[in-house]
Amino acid sequence: MDDCRPLGFLIGLPFALVALVLALVGAVVYVIGSILSCLCPCCICFAGLANLAVALVKLPIKVIRWFVDLIPC
Protein backbone atom coordinates (compact mmCIF):
# COMPACT_ATOMS: atom_id res chain seq x y z
CA MET A 1 0.00 0.00 0.00
CA ASP A 2 3.02 2.33 -0.05
CA ASP A 3 2.79 2.82 -3.82
CA CYS A 4 1.25 6.32 -3.54
CA ARG A 5 3.89 7.74 -1.18
CA PRO A 6 6.23 8.79 -4.04
CA LEU A 7 3.39 10.98 -5.29
CA GLY A 8 3.65 13.08 -2.14
CA PHE A 9 7.39 13.34 -2.67
CA LEU A 10 6.94 14.54 -6.25
CA ILE A 11 4.25 17.06 -5.30
CA GLY A 12 6.38 18.43 -2.48
CA LEU A 13 9.60 18.60 -4.50
CA PRO A 14 9.15 22.17 -5.86
CA PHE A 15 8.37 23.43 -2.38
CA ALA A 16 11.38 21.57 -1.02
CA LEU A 17 13.58 23.28 -3.60
CA VAL A 18 12.34 26.67 -2.40
CA ALA A 19 13.00 25.53 1.16
CA LEU A 20 16.49 24.48 0.08
CA VAL A 21 17.21 28.03 -1.06
CA LEU A 22 15.98 29.26 2.33
CA ALA A 23 18.25 26.68 3.97
CA LEU A 24 21.25 28.10 2.14
CA VAL A 25 20.27 31.56 3.33
CA GLY A 26 19.95 30.12 6.83
CA ALA A 27 23.45 28.67 6.61
CA VAL A 28 24.87 32.06 5.66
CA VAL A 29 22.94 33.75 8.47
CA TYR A 30 24.22 31.10 10.90
CA VAL A 31 27.84 31.73 9.92
CA ILE A 32 27.42 35.50 10.20
CA GLY A 33 25.58 35.14 13.52
CA SER A 34 28.28 32.85 14.88
CA ILE A 35 31.00 35.31 13.94
CA LEU A 36 29.10 38.21 15.48
CA SER A 37 28.38 36.27 18.67
CA CYS A 38 32.10 35.54 19.03
CA LEU A 39 32.90 39.22 18.61
CA CYS A 40 30.24 40.37 21.07
CA PRO A 41 29.12 37.53 23.36
CA CYS A 42 26.99 39.86 25.47
CA CYS A 43 24.32 40.20 22.74
CA ILE A 44 21.68 37.54 23.24
CA CYS A 45 19.99 38.42 19.95
CA PHE A 46 22.72 36.62 17.99
CA ALA A 47 21.81 33.36 19.72
CA GLY A 48 18.21 33.81 18.60
CA LEU A 49 19.44 34.56 15.10
CA ALA A 50 21.48 31.35 15.13
CA ASN A 51 18.44 29.35 16.26
CA LEU A 52 16.39 30.83 13.43
CA ALA A 53 19.12 29.92 10.98
CA VAL A 54 19.19 26.31 12.21
CA ALA A 55 15.42 26.11 11.75
CA LEU A 56 15.83 27.37 8.17
CA VAL A 57 18.48 24.74 7.49
CA LYS A 58 16.10 21.97 8.66
CA LEU A 59 13.21 23.34 6.59
CA PRO A 60 13.59 21.22 3.38
CA ILE A 61 13.33 17.95 5.28
CA LYS A 62 10.29 19.17 7.20
CA VAL A 63 8.58 20.21 3.96
CA ILE A 64 9.16 16.86 2.25
CA ARG A 65 7.97 14.90 5.30
CA TRP A 66 4.88 17.09 5.58
CA PHE A 67 3.91 16.49 1.94
CA VAL A 68 4.56 12.75 2.12
CA ASP A 69 2.41 12.50 5.27
CA LEU A 70 -0.47 14.33 3.56
CA ILE A 71 -1.01 11.54 1.00
CA PRO A 72 -3.54 9.11 2.50
CA CYS A 73 -2.65 5.47 1.97
Side-chain angles (χ1 to χ4, degrees), residues 1 4 8-10 12 16 18 20 23 28 31-33 39-40 44 46 50 52 59 62-65 71:
M1 297 301 296
C4 64
F9 177 77
L10 290 176
V18 171
L20 181 65
V28 170
V31 169
I32 291 171
L39 294 176
C40 182
I44 193 72
F46 295 129
L52 176 70
L59 191 63
K62 289 181 183 180
V63 168
I64 286 293
R65 286 186 181 169
I71 303 298

Side-chain angles (χ1 to χ4, degrees), residues 36-62:
L36 290 176
S37 68
C38 288
L39 294 176
C40 182
C42 60
C43 293
I44 193 72
C45 61
F46 295 129
L49 187 68
N51 289 336
L52 176 70
V54 169
L56 283 176
V57 169
K58 293 180 182 180
L59 191 63
I61 296 183
K62 289 181 183 180

Side-chain angles (χ1 to χ4, degrees), residues 4-17 63-64 66-68 70-72:
C4 64
R5 291 287 181 183
L7 182 62
F9 177 77
L10 290 176
I11 291 171
L13 197 57
F15 299 103
L17 291 176
V63 168
I64 286 293
W66 181 68
F67 268 101
V68 169
L70 282 178
I71 303 298

